[in-house]
Amino acid sequence: MALRARALYDFRSENPGEISLREHEVLSLCSEQDIEGWLEGVNSRGDRGLFPASYVQVIRAPAAEPPPSARYANLPAGGFEPLPPPAAFKPAAQQPPQGSDDDWDDDWDDSSTVADEPGALGSSYPDYEAAGGGASGRYRLSTRSELSLGSRGGGSHPAGHPHAPGGGGGAKSSATVSRNLNRFSTFVKSGGEAFVLGEASGFVKDGDKLCVVLGPRGPEWQENPYPFQCSIEDPTKQTKFKGMKSYIAYKLVPSHTGQQVHRRYKHFDWLYGRLAEKFPVISVPHLPEKQATGRFEEDFISKRRKGLAWWMDHMCSHPVLAQCDAFQHFLTCPSTDEKAWKQGKRKAEKDEMVGANFFLTISVPTGPGASLDLQEVESQVDGFKAFTKKMDESALQLNHTANEFARKQVTGFKKEYQKVGHSFKCLSQAFELDQQAFSAGLNQAIAFTAEAYDAIGDLFADQPRQDLDPVMDLLALYQGHLANFPDIIHVQKGALTKVKESKRHVEEGKMELQKAEGIQERCNIISFATLAEINHFHKIRVRDFKSQMQHFLQQQILFFQKVTQKLEEALHKYDSV
């Protein structure tokens, strides 16, 4: 029998040894035997590695049936050597290879952080020892007696899928809503399951609440009462250890303080890691990619600065992220005060309001008209899921088209225009052999035309950095956002599934109405936050693409005006011939 499987959901790889999946994608399996809930196989892009077994459905087809040639053209001809599973499958942080560039190093105050210590608060991994799992998490959740922890909780579907298995029977006072024992489910990792089931507890000051309000487009994050911006300027190469180590520092100037600070890329990277862990239903923008070689080349430094500027704009524009303590510490702590930096860093790493506890900080509208309809929420989220999938596809296509067009301008168009210019120059040189005084003006005019076409070729080569490059930078940022939303949607879907499950148990007399209402109330909090984040995404998307398309067309107009000017100058040279 041919070993193949079909992906039921999208999955984004996060660690070495894993591969990403797209919904409905057909994969080739190395073995049908899973390794602690993970399978090994090859996706349609030829990448080989591990992926959650619960995210795929095995296709039992005869071995004689050939796979589609287009999808499997790049599969290795021989067999597969089994890949070793990643350490603990989900390490807290990827360790850089020895001798890698400074972006990957970690020369903070000590070799470990609070976030890396077993049992410390702040991880996205719950403690599953009580549920039969072998991994110990960084925050501990109580396993209450009224929760069903039977084997049905870890079925073949991720938490949040409409067909996820329900809880078992039992008395109304005991077994109720099932637990999902797939510890790699986003719903579980984010703390969404623990929160919905009422396991999260903690004290949140009113001033620390993250408020969702009802706006004209539905739920929205409450606006930042003190909006600000932050510029990123003057990337400079600096050294330490008597010149043995070099790095690039960027000058940051927040508008609300006016005080400049200097930050390295690794500082940005640390901040991103903390925020991505803390906010499971907020899309933290991705940083520009790391690069091991050519880090000090001018073009790379300029491109990274532009990418960081986009990142900073999205951070400052988000009502929640902009006011986060860790972000404010990053923006305001003096570069020379190492002690203050370390204190703020440790405080961020000890933040208890992560995972399940994060959802306790969300304040949602109450009173008449403030409740959410379950079916309407599900419809909105499904619509947004379809939208993001289509946007991702079109952004990828546009990025490829723009990149190819830019390449043609830099090489092909420049070469072709200068080839025309060279031909005109050859013609003028031929005419000069005539030695007739009355033809001198014509010869000069043709020679000027040759120079004009040569200059137009240079204009084509320089143009992409003015119009196409900024478009591709924006697309790269939004592709990062789009990669975040499947996990955010998965958390919300998981909460909806628990509500449906609890309603069914109430109807069957297996759960008290009060418990079911509590689950629905906590699901509403996640739904409000998810819809608020969706609305914020649409708001900044319209703002960014309007601005970028205006800039693109303005630069295109200026470009063709320059080309026209060159041609008009050449034309006027013939007036006196």
Side-chain angles (χ1 to χ4, degrees):
M1 302 289 284
L3 288 175
R4 292 192 296 160
R6 186 180 303 279
L8 299 174
Y9 322 97
D10 290 340
F11 172 72
R12 181 163 56 90
S13 64
E14 297 177 352
N15 292 296
E18 299 174 4
I19 57 173
S20 297
L21 309 179
R22 285 190 176 273
E23 188 176 357
H24 306 309
E25 176 180 10
V26 176
L27 306 98
S28 175
L29 298 181
C30 300
S31 170
E32 197 174 345
Q33 181 65 40
D34 68 278
I35 310 170
E36 295 189 25
W38 290 71
L39 287 170
E40 181 186 359
V42 180
N43 62 19
S44 60
R45 295 172 295 284
D47 301 325
R48 187 180 73 178
L50 300 171
F51 49 87
S54 59
Y55 277 53
V56 301
Q57 182 179 28
V58 176
I59 302 173
R60 305 189 182 281
E65 180 184 338
S69 58
R71 288 190 175 184
Y72 294 94
N74 55 357
L75 288 183
F80 298 99
E81 295 181 3
L83 289 172
F89 288 98
K90 291 286 179 180
Q94 296 180 13
Q95 295 299 319
Q98 199 151 11
S100 63
D101 72 283
D102 187 59
D103 285 341
W104 293 92
D105 76 348
D106 185 10
D107 57 355
W108 299 104
D109 47 304
D110 49 34
S111 60
S112 65
T113 64
V114 173
D116 297 324
E117 296 170 8
L121 293 165
S123 167
S124 57
Y125 301 89
D127 185 279
Y128 281 92
E129 291 175 349
S136 178
R138 293 182 227 160
Y139 61 84
R140 296 195 170 271
L141 305 177
S142 60
T143 306
R144 300 186 178 182
S145 60
E146 65 267 17
L147 297 175
S148 171
L149 294 175
S151 60
R152 295 186 64 194
S156 60
H157 299 284
H161 190 269
H163 304 298
K172 185 183 295 186
S173 60
S174 57
T176 54
V177 178
S178 65
R179 290 292 299 266
N180 187 323
L181 299 186
N182 177 8
R183 66 173 183 241
F184 301 111
S185 164
T186 304
F187 184 47
V188 174
K189 287 198 306 177
S190 67
E193 180 181 65
F195 172 73
V196 170
L197 298 182
E199 294 182 351
S201 62
F203 176 73
V204 183
K205 299 177 183 177
D206 289 341
D208 295 334
K209 286 281 188 179
L210 306 177
C211 296
V212 178
V213 298
L214 288 176
R217 295 181 298 272
E220 297 178 350
W221 294 113
Q222 188 175 58
E223 288 296 328
N224 182 0
Y226 306 104
F228 65 92
Q229 295 176 326
C230 180
S231 64
I232 299 182
E233 307 165 355
D234 301 336
T236 56
K237 185 177 180 180
Q238 300 183 10
T239 61
K240 63 179 182 179
F241 303 139
K242 297 183 179 180
M244 294 179 63
K245 197 161 188 69
S246 302
Y247 58 90
I248 301 296
Y250 300 85
K251 182 174 76 174
L252 279 59
V253 185
S255 62
H256 62 312
T257 66
Q259 301 297 316
Q260 69 179 40
V261 297
H262 290 86
R263 298 288 182 254
R264 297 166 57 184
Y265 183 89
K266 71 168 189 177
H267 298 143
F268 284 90
D269 199 35
W270 168 82
L271 176 64
Y272 170 79
R274 301 311 308 167
L275 299 182
E277 181 180 22
K278 179 175 175 63
F279 299 111
V281 289
I282 290 177
S283 178
V284 181
H286 289 202
L287 289 167
E289 292 183 358
K290 297 176 180 178
Q291 181 166 313
T293 60
R295 294 180 299 116
F296 302 123
E297 293 178 2
E298 186 176 346
D299 286 347
F300 172 73
I301 294 172
S302 175
K303 182 176 178 60
R304 172 174 277 186
R305 189 200 66 79
K306 292 175 182 177
L308 290 175
W310 270 115
W311 182 87
M312 183 62 72
D313 177 74
H314 274 226
M315 290 293 298
C316 295
S317 299
H318 198 288
V320 176
L321 297 178
Q323 300 182 80
C324 173
D325 289 344
F327 183 51
Q328 286 297 320
H329 174 68
F330 172 84
L331 292 178
T332 61
C333 182
S335 309
T336 55
D337 195 339
E338 187 177 352
K339 182 178 179 180
W341 173 262
K342 290 177 182 178
Q343 289 176 342
K345 177 177 176 288
R346 289 196 183 101
K347 180 182 177 182
E349 290 166 350
K350 290 180 180 178
D351 187 359
E352 297 183 3
M353 292 298 131
V354 299
N357 289 346
F358 161 77
F359 297 102
L360 297 172
T361 66
I362 300 174
S363 173
V364 300
T366 58
S371 61
L372 295 174
D373 180 79
L374 192 67
Q375 291 184 340
E376 186 178 343
V377 171
E378 191 167 19
S379 175
Q380 289 183 45
V381 173
D382 286 343
F384 182 71
K385 180 181 178 181
F387 166 83
T388 54
K389 184 176 181 180
K390 188 65 176 177
M391 181 179 174
D392 191 36
E393 293 171 356
S394 60
L396 189 65
Q397 181 186 14
L398 176 56
N399 186 71
H400 174 75
T401 303
N403 189 66
E404 183 66 13
F405 188 58
R407 186 189 64 79
K408 289 179 179 178
Q409 286 189 243
V410 172
T411 57
F413 291 4
K414 176 182 178 180
K415 182 179 179 180
E416 292 302 319
Y417 270 87
Q418 292 183 343
K419 188 185 294 184
V420 172
H422 178 71
S423 298
F424 280 134
K425 185 176 181 180
C426 289
L427 179 64
S428 70
Q429 290 172 343
F431 282 3
E432 287 175 1
L433 296 177
D434 180 29
Q435 300 293 325
Q436 297 293 331
F438 64 83
S439 68
L442 175 64
N443 298 344
Q444 292 172 0
I446 294 177
F448 190 88
T449 302
E451 294 174 359
Y453 269 79
D454 195 66
I456 290 172
D458 288 332
L459 287 175
F460 269 102
D462 292 337
Q463 187 59 22
R465 71 180 62 189
Q466 307 299 329
D467 49 28
L468 289 173
D469 284 359
V471 170
M472 289 188 284
D473 289 341
L474 179 65
L475 291 174
L477 180 79
Y478 271 87
Q479 284 175 310
H481 277 303
L482 293 170
N484 290 338
F485 276 107
D487 285 348
I488 293 173
I489 291 173
H490 196 62
V491 172
Q492 198 275 335
K493 286 281 189 180
L496 285 176
T497 299
K498 296 303 179 188
V499 172
K500 293 176 182 178
E501 206 174 322
S502 65
K503 286 185 175 181
R504 186 172 69 250
H505 287 328
V506 169
E507 293 172 356
E508 295 171 352
K510 299 176 182 178
M511 177 186 279
E512 295 176 357
L513 179 60
Q514 185 178 1
K515 289 183 180 179
E517 289 175 344
I519 289 174
Q520 178 159 350
E521 181 180 341
R522 291 185 288 274
C523 173
N524 279 344
I525 291 176
I526 293 179
S527 296
F528 266 113
T530 303
L531 293 178
E533 187 61 17
I534 289 173
N535 276 328
H536 176 74
F537 175 81
H538 283 312
K539 181 179 178 181
I540 61 170
R541 175 183 58 84
V542 171
R543 179 202 69 177
D544 289 344
F545 278 87
K546 172 190 174 182
S547 173
Q548 199 58 66
M549 289 305 298
Q550 286 176 326
H551 175 80
F552 172 77
L553 293 173
Q554 288 165 354
Q555 291 299 317
Q556 282 276 287
I557 291 169
L558 288 173
F559 167 70
F560 284 107
Q561 285 176 342
K562 291 177 184 177
V563 172
T564 302
Q565 183 181 356
K566 290 291 183 184
L567 296 174
E568 287 177 343
E569 289 174 359
L571 176 62
H572 292 319
K573 293 295 182 182
Y574 294 89
D575 292 344
S576 58
V577 174

